[in-house]
Amino acid sequence: MIELDLQLATDANAPGETDFRRWCELALRQRSADSELTIRLVDEPEGRELNRTWRQKDYATNVLSFPADVPDELLDIPLLGDLVICVPVVEREAAEQGKALEAHWAHLVIHGCLHLLGYDHIDDEEADEMEALERTLLAELGHPDPYADDEN
């Protein structure tokens, strides 16, 4: 079971909680334990500040993942972590890349959830594994390969 806390810190249009829950459940289905996570939807100023503070990059990025780093014995809840998604960046990227907005949203939520599970793309081997899983999950939703244009 997934407990999802959806926080709206923006007036911009975004998918509804049902969509976020569906995407999270798909990405987290390999996890046998219950999961509790927060998704916070933000505008560019907050996204930029968080990216600057935590990644030392002075711009708003699409999704930031903050895995819970608390020993299980200290918590009585299955806290997985937090995702912060910058709505204007998601919309701009989808338009610039010619991707359907829903497909891009699904990709970024799945991508962020996989980071919360420990997946990464720092080296090529890890990136290949993570991207293959993203492709598979997005295909189950009927969405195209989000990396297809990157390979040309």
Side-chain angles (χ1 to χ4, degrees):
M1 186 184 110
I2 293 177
E3 184 162 331
L4 176 63
D5 177 20
L6 183 60
Q7 299 178 355
L8 304 175
T10 177
D11 292 329
N13 288 332
E17 186 171 344
T18 301
D19 290 322
F20 285 107
R21 181 172 300 284
R22 184 180 71 215
W23 300 328
C24 290
E25 287 174 351
L26 183 62
L28 300 174
R29 72 178 176 202
Q30 63 182 289
R31 180 178 158 94
S32 58
D34 289 344
S35 300
E36 184 174 312
L37 70 144
T38 296
I39 297 178
R40 182 172 174 82
L41 305 180
V42 302
D43 287 322
E44 289 193 61
E46 184 174 346
R48 181 178 182 176
E49 178 62 30
L50 289 167
N51 202 27
R52 182 175 39 234
T53 300
W54 295 102
R55 296 181 62 230
Q56 292 71 53
K57 298 185 186 274
D58 193 21
Y59 57 88
T61 190
N62 50 25
V63 61
L64 293 167
S65 303
F66 298 96
D69 191 19
V70 180
D72 290 339
E73 60 271 8
L74 296 181
L75 284 181
D76 195 22
I77 56 173
L79 187 60
L80 191 58
D82 302 331
L83 300 179
V84 177
I85 303 176
C86 186
V87 177
V89 172
V90 174
E91 292 172 343
R92 184 171 55 248
E93 286 178 347
E96 290 171 357
Q97 297 169 17
K99 295 178 178 176
L101 187 55
E102 181 182 337
H104 196 47
W105 271 106
H107 178 217
L108 293 175
V109 171
I110 288 169
H111 183 87
C113 286
L114 292 179
H115 275 305
L116 295 179
L117 290 176
Y119 286 88
D120 215 330
H121 45 81
I122 293 173
D123 66 44
D124 288 345
E125 189 174 312
E126 288 180 345
D128 290 346
E129 179 183 4
M130 185 174 182
E131 290 172 11
L133 183 52
E134 290 171 347
R135 286 180 176 104
T136 299
L137 296 174
L138 288 165
E140 287 184 39
L141 294 170
H143 297 309
D145 177 353
Y147 298 106
D149 290 340
D150 296 348
E151 295 170 355
N152 295 331

